[in-house]
C-alpha cells in the first residue's frame, strides 16, 4: 500500500514545511518570524487519506499491529532528516494520565521505544511528563493551540538530558506548538539540542 509521504528535500530546515518547486533547505516565513524552541524535526507521512485513517485507528482504536510498519516510515524519515549519531536519548511525547488510562496504552511511547531500539539510543519513557489537563489540541485553532500548550511539560530526570541532544517522538505534528513547548521545558533543564520526529504532518500546516 502506498501512503502519502512528506518531502524530505525542499523544506524548512527547522519545521520541515515543504514548498513545491524548491530544492534544498531554507527557513520558512513562520520559523523566521517566531523560531520554535526545537532545533529540527522529521516527519514521515502526510496526515490525509488512508494514512489519516490508519493513524487514527492506531491512536484511538488499539490498532497496535500497525506499530511495526509505522516505525519503518518513522525510522526512514529520521535517518533522512536528522543526524542520528548526534542523538543521546529518545523520549516519547507524553500523554495525559487520563488519555493513557482511557486508551490503555501510549501510542507515542510505542513508536519512541521502537525507534530508540532501531537507532541504538537510550530510551526514557518518564523523563518528560505532562502537567495539568490541557484541552485536546485537535479541537483548537492555531492561536489556541499555542496558548493551550504553554507550561504543560515537566522534566522529571534532568540529569538524563543535561548537555545532551534529545529526540522527542510524537504521532502528529500540526502547528508544532506542543513540540516547541516540550523543547522549551527540556532546554530550560539543560538540553543542548532538541530534535523532533513525527509519524505524520498535518496538511493544515
Amino acid at each position: 500500500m502506498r501512503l502519502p509521504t512528506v518531502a524530505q528535500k525542499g523544506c524548512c530546515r527547522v519545521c520541515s514545511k515543504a514548498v513545491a518547486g524548491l530544492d534544498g533547505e531554507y527557513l520558512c516565513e513562520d520559523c523566521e518570524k517566531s523560531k520554535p524552541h526545537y532545533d529540527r524535526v522529521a516527519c514521515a507521512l502526510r496526515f490525509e487519506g488512508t494514512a489519516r485513517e490508519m493513524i487514527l485507528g492506531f491512536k484511538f482504536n488499539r490498532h497496535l499491529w500497525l506499530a511495526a510498519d509505522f516505525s519503518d516510515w518513522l525510522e526512514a524519515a529520521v535517518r533522512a532528516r536528522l543526524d542520528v549519531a548526534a542523538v543521546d536519548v529518545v523520549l516519547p511525547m507524553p500523554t495525559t494520565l487520563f488519555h493513557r488510562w482511557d486508551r490503555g496504552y501510549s501510542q507515542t511511547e510505542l513508536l519512541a521505544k521502537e525507534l530508540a531500539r532501531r537507532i541504538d539510543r537510550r530510551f526514557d519513557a518518564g523523563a518528560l511528563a505532562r502537567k495539568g489537563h490541557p484541552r485536546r489540541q485537535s479541537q483548537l485553532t492555531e492561536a489556541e493551540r499555542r496558548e493551550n500548550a504553554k507550561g504543560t511539560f515537566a522534566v522529571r530526570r534532568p540529569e538524563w538530558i543535561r548537555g545532551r541532544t534529545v529526540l522527542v517522538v510524537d504521532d502528529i505534528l500540526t502547528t508544532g506548538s506542543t513540540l516547541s513547548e516540550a523543547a522549551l521545558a527540556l532546554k530550560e533543564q539543560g538540553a543542548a539540542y532538541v530534535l523532533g520526529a513525527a509519524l505524520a504532518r498535518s496538511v493544515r500546516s
Side-chain angles (χ1 to χ4, degrees):
M1 179 183 295
R2 296 181 64 86
L3 297 178
T5 58
V6 171
Q8 303 301 330
K9 295 182 179 180
C11 51
C12 176
R13 64 176 178 267
V14 177
C15 75
S16 82
K17 185 184 297 182
V19 171
L22 290 183
D23 193 12
E25 294 188 346
Y26 68 103
L27 190 65
C28 76
E29 184 178 356
D30 290 341
C31 289
E32 191 170 10
K33 288 181 179 178
S34 180
K35 186 178 180 298
H37 295 293
Y38 59 84
D39 296 284
R40 190 173 172 90
V41 67
C43 301
L45 302 172
R46 289 172 58 84
F47 190 58
E48 63 183 8
T50 302
R52 182 180 186 276
E53 294 175 8
M54 292 172 66
I55 291 167
L56 291 178
F58 175 64
K59 183 171 183 174
F60 296 113
N61 296 323
R62 299 188 66 87
H63 294 181
L64 303 185
W65 59 86
L66 294 170
D69 288 337
F70 283 160
S71 294
D72 289 342
W73 288 105
L74 188 60
E75 180 189 4
V78 165
R79 291 190 182 278
R81 284 274 300 167
L82 306 179
D83 181 2
V84 172
V87 174
D88 295 302
V89 60
V90 179
L91 310 179
M93 180 66 75
T95 59
T96 64
L97 289 176
F98 172 78
H99 290 156
R100 182 166 187 137
W101 173 84
D102 185 47
R103 296 172 193 167
Y105 63 100
S106 166
Q107 73 281 359
T108 57
E109 187 173 320
L110 293 172
L111 293 172
K113 187 174 184 179
E114 177 61 15
L115 180 63
R117 185 191 68 80
R118 292 181 181 211
I119 65 174
D120 194 25
R121 292 297 181 269
R122 181 183 179 87
F123 169 74
D124 193 321
L128 186 64
R130 290 270 190 174
K131 297 191 298 183
H133 302 280
R135 297 159 62 193
R136 286 186 184 273
Q137 292 285 72
S138 60
Q139 302 170 346
L140 307 178
T141 66
E142 183 172 346
E144 289 171 337
R145 284 170 182 262
R146 288 194 295 268
E147 190 63 30
N148 189 54
K150 286 183 179 179
T152 59
F153 294 96
V155 178
R156 288 178 173 168
R157 289 188 280 277
E159 66 274 12
W160 290 121
I161 58 94
R162 194 171 293 126
R164 293 173 175 164
T165 295
V166 180
L167 175 58
V168 180
V169 176
D170 205 353
D171 51 5
I172 305 164
L173 183 80
T174 302
T175 65
S177 55
T178 302
L179 178 60
S180 185
E181 284 299 312
L184 175 61
L186 289 163
K187 287 186 173 182
E188 287 178 340
Q189 293 298 322
Y193 296 96
V194 178
L195 307 174
L199 175 60
R201 184 182 183 90
S202 171
V203 295
R204 291 172 49 190
S205 59

